[in-house]
Amino acid sequence: MTLDQALHILLMYSANDAAMLIAENIGGSVDHFVEMMNEEAQRLGATNTSFANPHGLSDDNHYTSAYDLYLIFNACIQDQRFMDIISMDSYTMNLTGADGTTRTFDVVPTNYYSSGKINAPEGIRVFGGKTGTTDEAGCCVILYSEDLEKNPYISIIMGAEDKSFLYQEMNRLLEAGETTKTE
């Protein structure tokens, strides 16, 4: 698997094994990569964040805040490759095994806006984002969107009880931003 392929399935599908693969190959070890993540978070000013693993699964030493997620996501959207990946509605990946057998996988984003399971409010274009769900954190999503005047927004919902409520509340948040701006 290439780094590009691993990034696609990590960002689009939240593949935790891809996060581990990236960590081991970029950091030399998972622990060193997590140190790198924490250093970068601090450099960005994300002072209420502590990473304990590369995938975000629950750990007492793994936490963040909505503002810190904003800081980190805002840095990510400066990279066009990141924007290209989170904006995709699907991705086809070909993997060749050690035995020479090639398998094709279709990756559909877990973000309901990108996958077409839900529509954004009128006047809002959702480019994409990142989801995350654990029993402890609930359903979470962070999005990059623009209104009709191309004003950018980063919107975050954390701790929703289920995905239906998560996207209902995100649409309310996106609508509120549009209403507030025009009044």
Side-chain angles (χ1 to χ4, degrees), residues 60-111:
D60 289 342
N61 296 314
H62 193 97
Y63 55 85
T64 192
S65 68
Y67 181 70
D68 284 4
L69 285 177
Y70 160 79
L71 292 172
I72 294 165
F73 194 77
N74 191 50
C76 290
I77 63 173
Q78 306 310 310
D79 187 315
Q80 188 59 49
R81 295 169 299 180
F82 179 85
M83 287 295 295
D84 290 345
I85 293 170
I86 67 166
S87 297
M88 297 179 104
D89 58 7
S90 67
Y91 173 70
T92 301
M93 177 173 63
N94 294 312
L95 292 177
T96 303
D99 64 357
T101 304
T102 299
R103 289 185 265 165
T104 301
F105 298 92
D106 291 318
V107 179
V108 178
T110 56
N111 170 4

Side-chain angles (χ1 to χ4, degrees), residues 1-146:
M1 179 179 297
T2 68
L3 176 59
D4 184 66
Q5 291 170 324
L7 287 170
H8 276 78
I9 62 172
L10 173 66
L11 293 172
M12 293 177 67
Y13 189 70
S14 297
N16 297 329
D17 49 351
M20 297 296 284
L21 178 70
I22 292 167
E24 290 171 355
N25 283 281
I26 299 294
S29 71
V30 171
D31 289 342
H32 185 250
F33 189 79
V34 170
E35 287 175 26
M36 294 167 59
M37 291 171 62
N38 283 311
E39 288 169 7
E40 183 64 11
Q42 289 296 305
R43 188 187 72 72
L44 294 172
T47 58
N48 292 308
T49 294
S50 172
F51 295 116
N53 58 60
H55 44 66
L57 293 178
S58 296
D59 183 294
D60 289 342
N61 296 314
H62 193 97
Y63 55 85
T64 192
S65 68
Y67 181 70
D68 284 4
L69 285 177
Y70 160 79
L71 292 172
I72 294 165
F73 194 77
N74 191 50
C76 290
I77 63 173
Q78 306 310 310
D79 187 315
Q80 188 59 49
R81 295 169 299 180
F82 179 85
M83 287 295 295
D84 290 345
I85 293 170
I86 67 166
S87 297
M88 297 179 104
D89 58 7
S90 67
Y91 173 70
T92 301
M93 177 173 63
N94 294 312
L95 292 177
T96 303
D99 64 357
T101 304
T102 299
R103 289 185 265 165
T104 301
F105 298 92
D106 291 318
V107 179
V108 178
T110 56
N111 170 4
Y112 284 7
Y113 294 102
S114 296
S115 67
K117 291 183 179 179
I118 193 163
N119 294 319
E122 190 169 329
I124 301 292
R125 176 180 178 207
V126 174
F127 286 86
K130 180 69 186 82
T131 61
T133 303
T134 66
D135 290 341
E136 291 82 5
C139 297
C140 307
V141 66
I142 184 168
L143 298 176
Y144 177 75
S145 61
E146 289 182 352

